[in-house]
Amino acid sequence: MSDFEHRIIRACDWLRRTIVRPGDGYAGWGWSADVAPNPQDTAEVVCALAAARRPVPDAPAVLAMMRRTSVAHHTQGEWVFQAPVDAAWRLRALRRLGEPLTAEEIVASRHTLLTTQDLETGGWALSDGIAPISVTATTAAVRSLLEFPDSDDATTQATARGVSFLVTAVLDDDSRAASNHAAAQIAHLLGDPAIAALGGARLARAHTLTVDRILAHLESSPGTLEEEQIHRGAVAQTWYHSTLQQSVAALATAGDRLIFHPTFRTALVQLLDFQQSVRTHRDHGGFRTSREGIITSYSTAQAVQALTEVHSGVRQWVNPATVFDMLCRESGAHHTDPQDIAQTPRAPVTMNSSAGAAVFAAAAAAGVTIITLALAFDKGTVQPLGEESSRALVVWGSLLISFGIYCWAATVFNKHRSGRVGTIVFAAATTIVFPTVAFLLG
C-alpha cells in the first residue's frame, strides 16, 4: 500500500502547487487553470486535502476565500456563490479549516440549506429560483448537515427528508437518479456510516440498486464526463462530473463485497492511469478528467477523495492473509494453489489441482458412459434398454447435473460455507429433481 499512499501524496502536492493567490488576502482554486479561484472549487479541494490528512496551504488566505460570497468573473463580472450547493460546500470546508459551528458563515450556510429545501420532495436545487431539484445539490446538502449533532432537530429532520428523497428517486426509477454521476453520488452518501445507521429495508435496497447501476455503467461507459447546468446570478456555468472518480469512491464505501470485484479492480486501475506520472511534467501528480481529458483541480480533488476511500476500505475490510493468498495464487508455487487456467472478458477461470481432479473424474465417467452406449447401439449389441437400466442412467445423469450445480453454486455464493451450499443443492435435488424424474418415468 506504500505506492498507493505515495500516489495520494503526489496528487495533494499538485493541489498545493496549483493554488492561486490573486491578491486581497485570499487564495484558492478554480476548477481549471483558466478559471478564477472561487469558494466552491476551493471548498472541494479543502475537503479532499482534509480527507487525505494533508495540510491546506496558506490556510488563512484560503479561509478568507471561503468567507467570500462572490468573486470577479473574467468575462461576466460578479460571480455570486450563494446557491444551496455553495452553502453546503462552504459549510464543510469551514469545518475542515477548524471553524466552530457557531461561526457566522456556518450559521448562515445552515440557514440557507434549511430554508431552500424543497417542501414537496425534500431535495435541493443546484441554484436558487426555479431551478430543478438536483441529486448533486441534495447529496452535498445532506453531507454538510451531518456536521451538526443529532440534538439539532432542524438539521436532523432536513437530513432525513433529503435521504428519503434520494431513496425514493432510486426505487421509483426517477430520471434524476439514473445518470452515472447521480448513482455514484447517492451510493457514496448511502454508504456513509451516519446515513447507513438510519437503517431500513428501503435504504438498503436503494444502496444495492445504485451499486448495481454503477457496476453496469463502469462496464459499458467507464471514465465518461457528464454535464449539469447551474446558474449563479447572471453567470451560466456547466458543472462537469468525473464519473470514474465518483464511482470508485462509491464502491469503496459499499463494504467488503466489492473490494475484490473485477469491475471495481478494473476501474481502480483505470483511475490510477489518469494520474500524470512523469516526474518532469509540470502537472506531475494531477489527475485527468478522463483518459484523453485535461488535468484539473476538481478531477484531482475527486480522485484524492476516491483513493482515500479505497485506502481506508482496504485497511478496514481486507484481511492481510487474503492478500498473501492472492500473491501465492498469482505465483502458483504449488499445484494445490488456485491457478488461472483461462481468461474470460469478465474474470479469469480459477481452479486448483483438487478441483481439476474432481472435474476430470466427473467428465471421464460421463464420457465413458456416453461412448460405451454409443458404440453398443451402433454395433447392435445392446437391445432397447429395460426399465431398470433406463432409470439407472437417468439417476447417473442427474447426479452429474447436481455435481455441476454444486460447483457453480459453491463458487458464485462463496460467502457461504461449501457444506451449507452442498446441503441446499442436495435438498433441492431430492425434493425437486428426483421426484420430477420419477414422475416422468412412471
Side-chain angles (χ1 to χ4, degrees):
M1 296 297 292
S2 59
D3 182 67
F4 202 80
E5 295 173 354
H6 290 159
R7 285 179 174 271
I8 297 175
I9 293 173
R10 288 196 292 268
C12 292
D13 288 343
W14 181 87
L15 291 171
R16 290 166 57 87
R17 295 197 309 271
T18 55
I19 189 173
V20 179
R21 299 175 177 85
D24 296 331
Y26 65 93
W29 292 264
W31 75 270
S32 65
D34 59 345
V35 175
N38 59 81
Q40 197 282 323
D41 291 311
T42 300
E44 193 162 359
V45 172
V46 168
C47 291
L49 291 174
R53 299 184 178 182
R54 304 293 293 175
V56 176
D58 203 352
V62 172
L63 180 59
M65 166 66 76
M66 294 313 309
R67 288 173 173 162
R68 298 177 66 92
T69 57
S70 66
V71 297
H73 193 273
H74 65 287
T75 60
Q76 301 183 29
E78 186 181 23
W79 195 0
V80 180
F81 287 82
Q82 293 180 321
V85 70
D86 300 321
W89 277 105
R90 178 180 289 109
L91 196 160
R92 290 182 61 200
L94 288 172
R95 290 290 291 157
R96 301 302 176 273
L97 290 168
E99 291 294 283
L101 291 176
T102 55
E104 179 181 351
E105 293 80 7
I106 290 182
V107 173
S109 296
R110 174 184 179 277
H111 176 74
T112 297
L113 294 174
L114 294 181
T115 56
T116 57
Q117 186 175 27
D118 184 64
L119 296 178
E120 181 179 353
T121 63
W124 280 267
L126 269 179
S127 55
D128 50 8
I130 58 174
I133 302 301
S134 164
V135 166
T136 299
T138 302
T139 53
V142 170
R143 197 174 289 278
S144 67
L145 292 177
L146 293 176
E147 299 291 332
F148 296 93
D150 294 340
S151 57
D152 189 333
D153 292 337
T155 58
T156 300
Q157 292 175 10
T159 299
R161 294 186 63 225
V163 172
S164 178
F165 161 71
L166 296 172
V167 169
T168 301
V170 173
L171 298 181
D172 291 349
D173 289 326
D174 192 317
S175 59
R176 290 172 291 194
S179 62
N180 295 23
H181 72 268
Q185 289 166 358
I186 294 174
H188 193 193
L189 179 66
L190 297 184
D192 188 290
I195 299 299
L198 298 176
R202 282 171 52 83
L203 190 150
R205 176 59 177 163
H207 191 200
T208 300
L209 285 176
T210 51
V211 167
D212 291 341
R213 289 178 185 179
I214 294 171
L215 294 174
H217 288 316
L218 287 175
E219 292 174 358
S220 60
S221 55
T224 56
L225 277 180
E226 294 182 339
E227 299 179 359
E228 192 171 3
Q229 306 303 317
I230 179 175
H231 289 266
R232 290 190 172 98
V235 180
Q237 182 188 9
T238 300
W239 197 308
Y240 295 98
H241 295 286
S242 298
T243 58
L244 183 61
Q245 284 90 324
Q246 295 176 347
S247 297
V248 169
L251 295 179
T253 58
D256 61 338
R257 71 187 183 91
L258 289 171
I259 291 295
F260 293 118
H261 194 287
T263 302
F264 173 76
R265 298 202 309 270
T266 301
L268 179 58
V269 170
Q270 185 175 14
L271 176 57
L272 294 177
D273 287 340
F274 282 9
Q275 188 174 31
Q276 176 54 255
S277 58
V278 179
R279 293 186 178 275
T280 57
H281 198 283
R282 66 175 185 178
D283 287 323
H284 173 247
F287 279 80
R288 299 179 181 84
T289 56
S290 61
R291 186 172 294 278
E292 293 79 23
I294 61 175
I295 295 176
T296 66
S297 65
Y298 81 89
S299 59
T300 303
Q302 292 179 5
V304 169
Q305 183 70 50
L307 296 182
T308 302
E309 298 281 13
V310 174
H311 188 258
S312 176
V314 168
R315 297 172 79 91
Q316 176 181 359
W317 296 110
V318 179
N319 189 327
T322 303
V323 178
F324 179 76
D325 177 70
M326 291 179 67
L327 294 174
C328 292
R329 180 182 307 179
E330 182 68 22
S331 63
H334 193 267
H335 61 82
T336 57
D337 292 330
Q339 315 283 329
D340 292 340
I341 63 171
Q343 296 292 330
T344 68
R346 293 182 61 86
V349 177
T350 304
M351 186 177 296
N352 69 353
S353 58
S354 300
V359 172
F360 171 72
V368 170
T369 302
I370 294 172
I371 292 173
T372 301
L373 288 174
L375 292 175
F377 279 118
D378 181 64
K379 301 299 183 181
T381 57
V382 175
Q383 299 298 321
L385 297 176
E387 181 178 346
E388 294 182 356
S389 299
S390 298
R391 291 187 176 182
L393 286 176
V394 169
V395 171
W396 170 232
S398 300
L399 288 174
L400 288 176
I401 293 174
S402 299
F403 175 74
I405 293 175
Y406 166 74
C407 292
W408 170 81
T411 53
V412 171
F413 303 104
N414 53 13
K415 286 188 176 182
H416 303 286
R417 296 191 301 272
S418 57
R420 183 178 181 183
V421 175
T423 301
I424 295 174
V425 172
F426 177 77
T430 54
T431 58
I432 299 174
V433 177
F434 292 147
T436 302
V437 171
F439 173 77
L440 294 175
L441 291 176

